[in-house]
Amino acid sequence: MEEIPAPLPLIQKKYSLEPDMIFGWKPKIPKSSPIPLDFNLNPLPTCKDSPEQKFPIIYHGYRPPNSHIMHKLFSNKSTYNYLIKSSISIDIEYNYKHAALSSLGRYNGMKKEFTEEIEFDSFFECGNLDKAIKYSKNEYDLYMRSDTNAYGSYKWFYFQIINKAEDRVIKLNIVNFKEQHSLFTQGQKPMIKYNDQSWEQFQGPVVYKLSKLNKVVKKGTYYQLTFEVPMKSLDSCFLATTIPYTASELHQFLDSMPSKIQLGSVGRSLSGMTIPLITITGNNSKNPKKYIIIQARTHPSETVASVLIQNCIQYLVSNEKSATKLLKRYVFKIIPMVNIDGVIAGNSRMSLAGDDLNRKFAEPDTMLHPEVLDIKSLVDRCNNENGVLMFIDIHGHSKKKGSFMYGPYFPLHSSTYFNIRLLPKYLSKKTDIFRYYSCKFKSEKSMRQSARLVMSQNLHIKYTYTMENSLYGYIDQDRNSHSFKPHNFKDLAKNLIESIYKFTKYTDPRKTQKSPKGRHKHNLQDILEENDQAYSSSESDSQSESEEDCIEAKNNVVNAIKNFRKDIVRKENSSSTNKTLYSANKKIHSQNQLGANKNLPTVNKRMPSPQKYGSNIEKGVMKNSAQQVMICENKSLSFYDEKIKADVSNSLNSDITFDKSGQRISSVQKKNYSKVNIFEMFSNRKEKGFVRYHSGIKKSLNFPSFYPKLMKN
């Protein structure tokens, strides 16, 4: 018998795919990386830049340099949980400590010489106030901070005022709104909370007009919101666009829920936050249960979406008749806060990467949009299991009143043309808050990457809706405007669930349920007549904004993630390489010996000991691992990359061996793994003597279970 040739020298590489598949070991890659947060992409000139006027900047809002520092400051036991390895946390703080101070280049918070009169503050979760300028004794110009890594999306403000002087009326000018048509021109007013009282609508007059910034800016048009706040001495108040709903409030609500709901996770956000997933269903049914999936808060400033979905959850877990019957037939999967990173940071519309997640569902980036990938994976699994009956994406609308829906287009001759209009029709019959006239059923090209159309066209879910809810209020039958109150969302949630139940009785009948007679006739004429007025000229899906992508910011985020992962992997590999190789060697020895002792006790003495070739075999394993890595040398080896997942999957289906020159010789199919000796898989099969000897052993034993099976991930 010829001797086994010496293995090729090992190639030093961060990742080795083949041993990972065999021995079940993976390099420890941190699940979260520090995302750099850039707020200077769209710097706005202040009114003090005007040559005629000079006013002091008295407050600078907090601008966290990266996501880990932001989470460390905002997360604690009383808010949301964000766990970071201590070693990683120390490295981040060390690397960013000096950069955080130098990059800001200005004072954070109130300037000391102005703290005796009034104090501004937004250093809390969801807070958004970037600058405050003292225009006169009791008048201040305020600037909203831009979204992270984006050119600018200004519509969300949330800050605190503390009056340290005598009783007075403070005039506030929020000067950098971007929307020309706003509900502030139709009756909407900011929300205010004095001291420890509850949130209520501001009672004084508000004015929404062209901003004084337009005198000094060179590009774009801005608008300002002006109102006067009466404050007593030593009084404090919070002001916000709408009632804030933070990630901490969501976790507190979920902790108070009964055991009837199942708390899980869709996955992790870009910064490593857990995205909650709520599963609600009733008793087991004989028939397989389809899924109804609801998601909300893709855009952080649309807090009404969180309020509505919280009331939906509360109604589903109640003992109401329609909710109980609905849960017997369906499983609800609810994602209450999709863009949880943007909510914590106080963004208006974007994620931490500076992207509108509702425009990334068609082609999400594997590194920048993990939230979207996880949601699509969840919907796909549910669709393949028992099917998804309905997908609802809940949003808020800053230009229109009431509640309404958008759905995909179906031709008139299709039965779905009628069915998809049933749910909004039922809902409009139950409450004045919902307006069927504002609903649209189109598949616009501008919306082709939205969740609604991707779920409909790519994942083939018929009944997909975007449910829009005004940030202000609704119009009653007498054409009078009313601002939303807490009980309005409670009633709307109840009517939504009851309408879904009624909708399922007509569109998804079961064998045990009689289908009502003439189910398509009683509303068909009404829907066809009203359909002509249903097409509005305003934007859909939360007012599509043509925000220009900042390529430089995206590259900075991607490079920061890659560099961080490389550093962590390099440190961990240096300390765990010897331990891993020892564990792999030990596993090969133990499995070979176990197979011989357990299955062939009488023949074992006539067998050459597996340990005789053990060291060379193990080196052969690592040799071929190195060759496999060489093939992937020019590819990105991130386990978060779909392309690499495909490479790993392909390598699982076939195992490749090489000769001395590194040329490919043959492959062994995955289906034969259980019958293949590890000698045959990783030795040089051109050595005919060894192959002939090995074949003789197999023929004489005729017992394939002797050969150890591969351990698969």
Side-chain angles (χ1 to χ4, degrees), residues 400-404 433-435 468-470 473-475 484:
K400 297 172 68 174
K401 297 178 183 178
S403 180
F404 45 92
I433 297 176
F434 191 88
R435 286 178 54 81
E468 298 281 0
N469 305 277
S470 175
Y474 65 99
I475 304 174
F484 279 135

Side-chain angles (χ1 to χ4, degrees), residues 401-426:
K401 297 178 183 178
S403 180
F404 45 92
M405 286 184 175
Y406 298 126
Y409 168 79
F410 289 94
L412 183 60
H413 62 269
S414 171
S415 62
T416 312
Y417 175 89
F418 171 80
N419 289 343
I420 201 168
R421 288 164 171 78
L422 274 179
L423 177 61
K425 187 63 179 179
Y426 289 147

Side-chain angles (χ1 to χ4, degrees), residues 642-654:
E642 293 292 337
K643 186 176 181 182
I644 298 305
K645 289 181 181 179
D647 293 340
V648 175
S649 177
N650 293 336
S651 60
L652 279 171
N653 293 329
S654 62

Side-chain angles (χ1 to χ4, degrees), residues 42-289:
N42 187 26
L44 289 176
T46 60
C47 295
K48 77 179 187 65
D49 296 326
S50 175
E52 296 88 7
Q53 298 171 329
K54 297 290 183 181
F55 306 105
I57 299 178
I58 65 172
Y59 172 82
H60 281 290
Y62 176 59
R63 292 183 172 186
N66 64 74
S67 59
H68 274 205
I69 293 179
M70 177 186 72
H71 287 310
K72 183 179 180 184
L73 292 170
F74 291 156
S75 67
N76 53 60
K77 293 181 180 179
S78 62
T79 59
Y80 62 91
N81 294 322
Y82 185 79
L83 303 177
I84 308 175
K85 282 186 178 181
S86 58
S87 58
I88 298 178
S89 179
I90 292 172
D91 290 341
I92 293 169
E93 292 173 13
Y94 176 80
N95 293 333
Y96 281 91
K97 183 176 181 181
H98 301 289
L101 298 176
S102 61
S103 62
L104 294 176
R106 53 174 171 72
Y107 180 80
N108 252 345
M110 287 292 301
K111 289 190 175 180
K112 295 181 179 180
E113 57 267 31
F114 297 97
T115 55
E116 296 180 356
E117 301 176 5
I118 191 172
E119 283 191 11
F120 291 94
D121 185 25
S122 64
F123 187 59
F124 40 78
E125 189 182 348
C126 293
N128 188 325
L129 179 63
D130 196 44
K131 282 179 284 198
I133 297 175
K134 186 175 182 180
Y135 190 79
S136 66
K137 182 179 179 181
N138 292 323
E139 184 175 357
Y140 300 88
D141 293 341
L142 308 180
Y143 291 77
M144 294 175 286
R145 189 186 63 218
S146 67
D147 286 2
T148 56
N149 296 311
Y151 279 125
S153 180
Y154 306 100
K155 64 176 68 173
W156 171 254
F157 60 86
Y158 178 29
F159 57 90
Q160 182 185 23
I161 306 176
I162 302 174
N163 180 25
K164 293 190 173 183
E166 69 280 355
D167 297 357
R168 56 179 171 162
V169 176
I170 300 173
K171 185 177 181 179
L172 302 176
N173 305 311
I174 304 177
V175 297
N176 59 333
F177 282 92
K178 293 290 292 289
E179 291 182 335
Q180 179 181 1
H181 304 286
S182 173
L183 285 171
F184 285 117
T185 63
Q186 304 178 46
Q188 182 183 359
K189 296 180 180 180
M191 302 303 295
I192 189 169
K193 183 176 76 168
Y194 283 100
N195 301 321
D196 296 328
Q197 300 176 8
S198 59
W199 287 94
E200 59 182 14
Q201 190 179 38
F202 178 71
Q203 298 301 317
V206 299
V207 178
Y208 190 81
K209 60 182 181 179
L210 286 170
S211 173
K212 58 177 71 175
L213 270 183
N214 295 322
K215 297 179 181 179
V216 292
V217 296
K218 297 180 180 179
K219 183 180 179 181
T221 304
Y222 294 89
Y223 301 84
Q224 76 178 45
L225 180 69
T226 301
F227 54 98
E228 297 180 350
V229 181
M231 296 191 70
K232 296 180 180 180
S233 178
L234 301 179
D235 203 0
S236 69
C237 70
F238 288 88
L239 286 156
T241 309
T242 57
I243 298 178
Y245 192 102
T246 64
S248 300
E249 291 180 67
L250 173 63
H251 283 280
Q252 292 168 8
F253 166 71
L254 295 179
D255 291 340
S256 66
M257 281 289 95
S259 58
K260 188 174 181 179
I261 70 173
Q262 300 176 16
L263 295 180
S265 171
V266 181
R268 289 189 176 270
S269 66
L270 181 63
S271 72
M273 282 292 297
T274 299
I275 304 174
L277 173 65
I278 302 170
T279 303
I280 310 176
T281 188
N283 298 328
N284 294 331
S285 174
K286 295 180 180 179
N287 299 322
K289 293 184 178 182

Side-chain angles (χ1 to χ4, degrees), residues 484-623:
F484 279 135
K485 300 293 189 297
H487 71 270
N488 294 132
F489 290 106
K490 185 176 181 179
D491 294 339
L492 183 59
K494 174 184 176 182
N495 293 324
L496 174 61
I497 301 302
E498 290 179 349
S499 299
I500 292 176
Y501 171 64
K502 192 173 181 181
F503 170 81
T504 58
K505 290 170 62 178
Y506 287 95
T507 58
D508 189 32
R510 303 294 174 89
K511 295 179 181 180
T512 59
Q513 176 179 314
K514 294 182 180 180
S515 179
K517 296 180 180 180
R519 60 189 176 102
H520 286 175
K521 294 180 181 179
H522 65 291
N523 279 331
L524 179 58
Q525 188 63 31
D526 294 339
I527 291 178
L528 292 179
E529 289 177 357
E530 295 178 350
N531 187 55
D532 294 336
Q533 305 179 39
Y535 295 99
S536 170
S537 59
S538 64
E539 299 88 343
S540 65
D541 294 292
S542 297
Q543 314 94 253
S544 173
E545 296 181 3
S546 57
E547 295 286 353
E548 184 181 356
D549 284 340
C550 183
I551 305 301
E552 183 179 357
K554 302 295 182 298
N555 292 336
N556 290 339
V557 172
V558 172
N559 291 335
I561 295 173
K562 288 182 177 179
N563 293 335
F564 178 79
R565 291 176 182 172
K566 287 179 180 178
D567 292 340
I568 298 299
V569 171
R570 186 182 299 111
K571 292 177 182 178
E572 293 187 347
N573 278 354
S574 62
S575 62
S576 62
T577 301
N578 295 333
K579 182 178 178 180
T580 305
L581 291 176
Y582 173 78
S583 176
N585 296 342
K586 187 176 180 181
K587 193 164 292 187
I588 292 178
H589 287 286
S590 61
Q591 290 218 6
N592 275 309
Q593 194 164 6
L594 177 64
N597 294 336
K598 181 178 179 180
N599 297 324
L600 296 173
T602 56
V603 195
N604 194 30
K605 295 181 180 180
R606 296 186 285 111
M607 285 283 300
S609 173
Q611 282 76 7
K612 182 177 180 180
Y613 302 103
S615 58
N616 287 335
I617 293 170
E618 293 148 13
K619 292 179 181 178
V621 172
M622 301 311 298
K623 174 197 72 173

